[in-house]
Amino acid sequence: MLVLFLLLAVTAAAVVDVDVTEPACPSCVLMNTTCYNISYLFDLNAPFRKQVVIHRMGILRSQNKLFFSFEPTIEDVEYYKTGFVSLDDPSQAGVISGSQIFNFGAFDIDQDNDLVYFGGDGGIFILNANSNSIAAYSSLGDTVTNLYYKNHVYFVRYNDRGIIEKVGDNFRTLMENFPIRKFVVTKKDNVVIFSSTLGLFVGKGENVHRISKNGYFRGITIDLDGNVYAWWIDGIYKVVLMKNLQHSKLVRVAKIPFIGAMTFDNDNRILFTSDKSLYLMEPTANSCGVVKVIEDRA
Ligand SMILES: *[C@@H]1O[C@H](CO)[C@@H](O)[C@H](O)[C@H]1NC(C)=O
Ligand SMILES: *[C@@H]1O[C@H](CO)[C@@H](O)[C@H](O)[C@H]1NC(C)=O
């Protein structure tokens, strides 16, 4: 039932209709102007370290399978591992392992061909998700700390500067003056969004612009519509890209004080971890307890 209160301001002659009937939603959070409901899905199951650290999540869309890289128990000779779980049936889960020490902490997915690229101590490896076989791919002998896939592989090496783009048998370095932590490349315009010790940047060619001085963003991800988000311990930030990159900016769109890793599911809803728990964040008709000014005829 909708009850409208008419509030007559004494000084100004403003008439404001306010909807106050909405039930409280303790699990809701406002993201920019949309209210999202957060619900718990399940716990990720892997040999986590005492303090759970999950660096990255990504979904193999054809199988609705979530991959996540994490830091395993201190006794493990590897310091990074990648696990996976079916979002349709969480009992189908496991950890990528082999006879070698891979230290697979970086990965990304070629969705068109069901291939998962992994970066680690021994270079870049490739998992065929249909045959479940892993093979060596490139840069064997390099330590690959980050990897991104868009038409081809982009990667970052330990103690190196720039992002290496592998086009066929050729390699080209982007953002070559910057030590790179995390990065993505936009689908349409090839804009690189990256974090380094000096902050968060947007760049294309020689044109690089800093949008934040915070060098500690935990990750950067792109939703199914091409919107770019970064997250830090205190919430979700949207990278607002402008045609003139110098006008691009970073806006915090949601305050969530416990995000570990984040990605978007096949319906473009937000999935995030807190400790080892996986949560779903989806838009709701609830107004998030914000008093909605329906009309203001001041
Ligand atoms: C927030 O929402 C408003 C209204 O829909 C929109 O104009 C604005 O671009 C949004 N801001 C961000 C950072 O997405
Ligand atoms: C939020 O999600 C929970 C769990 O799925 C559900 O019980 C609740 O009704 C939802 N609330 C809103 C306002 O959508």
Side-chain angles (χ1 to χ4, degrees):
M1 194 178 75
L2 193 77
V3 180
L4 296 179
F5 281 83
L6 292 183
L7 298 181
L8 262 170
V10 184
T11 45
V15 180
V16 181
D17 300 342
V18 181
D19 174 6
V20 294
T21 57
E22 191 116 55
C25 173
S27 61
C28 286
V29 60
L30 193 66
M31 177 139 142
N32 190 17
T33 52
T34 309
C35 186
Y36 282 73
N37 189 17
I38 297 174
S39 48
Y40 167 79
L41 293 182
F42 54 84
D43 275 8
L44 297 176
N45 192 5
F48 292 115
R49 199 160 287 197
K50 214 177 219 153
Q51 188 194 350
V52 177
V53 184
I54 296 170
H55 286 278
R56 186 184 186 102
M57 293 199 292
I59 294 169
L60 175 64
R61 306 218 171 264
S62 64
Q63 297 180 12
N64 205 20
K65 191 192 258 187
L66 176 81
F67 287 82
F68 57 98
S69 66
F70 64 96
E71 296 182 7
T73 51
I74 217 94
E75 295 77 30
D76 198 308
V77 290
E78 294 193 295
Y79 43 85
Y80 291 123
K81 273 182 152 44
T82 296
F84 55 87
V85 57
S86 162
L87 290 173
D88 299 324
D89 175 9
S91 71
Q92 288 183 34
V95 173
I96 309 275
S97 62
S99 50
Q100 274 172 275
I101 297 171
F102 288 118
N103 282 316
F104 283 161
F107 71 87
D108 203 8
I109 303 170
D110 170 1
Q111 305 288 357
D112 294 335
N113 298 299
D114 289 352
L115 300 173
V116 187
Y117 290 88
F118 290 101
D121 266 3
I124 301 173
F125 287 71
I126 186 167
L127 166 74
N128 181 321
N130 295 320
S131 64
N132 269 327
S133 56
I134 284 198
Y137 175 69
S138 176
S139 301
L140 307 180
D142 284 346
T143 296
V144 172
T145 55
N146 217 325
L147 187 149
Y148 189 75
Y149 185 87
K150 195 204 76 165
N151 302 329
H152 41 256
V153 166
Y154 298 74
F155 63 97
V156 172
R157 292 186 304 193
Y158 178 71
N159 241 341
D160 197 10
R161 279 168 191 263
I163 297 165
I164 303 170
E165 181 182 9
K166 176 174 158 59
V167 190
D169 288 335
N170 298 319
F171 295 89
R172 180 166 87 107
T173 305
L174 313 173
M175 307 300 141
E176 55 195 359
N177 296 322
F178 295 87
I180 311 278
R181 284 206 164 117
K182 315 272 179 171
F183 73 98
V184 296
V185 184
T186 62
K187 207 173 247 169
K188 253 182 29 205
D189 301 320
N190 280 315
V191 175
V192 182
I193 297 97
F194 65 93
S195 63
S196 91
T197 45
L198 298 173
L200 193 69
F201 296 79
V202 296
K204 188 171 180 174
E206 299 294 301
N207 185 4
V208 179
H209 171 63
R210 179 159 70 180
I211 53 174
S212 169
K213 287 184 178 163
N214 181 354
Y216 294 95
F217 283 95
R218 292 186 164 177
I220 310 169
T221 189
I222 304 187
D223 76 3
L224 301 186
D225 295 329
N227 299 305
V228 183
Y229 295 90
W231 69 96
W232 194 42
I233 179 136
D234 68 348
I236 300 174
Y237 293 72
K238 185 175 183 184
V239 176
V240 181
L241 286 170
M242 303 303 271
K243 229 185 191 96
N244 179 346
L245 281 187
Q246 309 296 323
H247 294 155
S248 299
K249 59 183 180 177
L250 188 71
V251 180
R252 181 163 72 167
V253 285
K255 283 186 205 169
I256 301 172
F258 42 73
I259 292 195
M262 162 179 166
T263 190
F264 288 85
D265 77 359
N266 283 351
D267 297 317
N268 211 21
R269 300 173 301 182
I270 297 168
L271 290 179
F272 71 84
T273 57
S274 178
D275 200 56
K276 61 185 170 189
S277 302
L278 185 66
Y279 293 88
L280 171 71
M281 201 171 145
E282 57 184 333
T284 155
N286 197 291
S287 74
C288 264
V290 171
V291 176
K292 236 190 292 189
V293 176
I294 295 166
E295 201 181 345
D296 186 347
R297 293 184 296 250

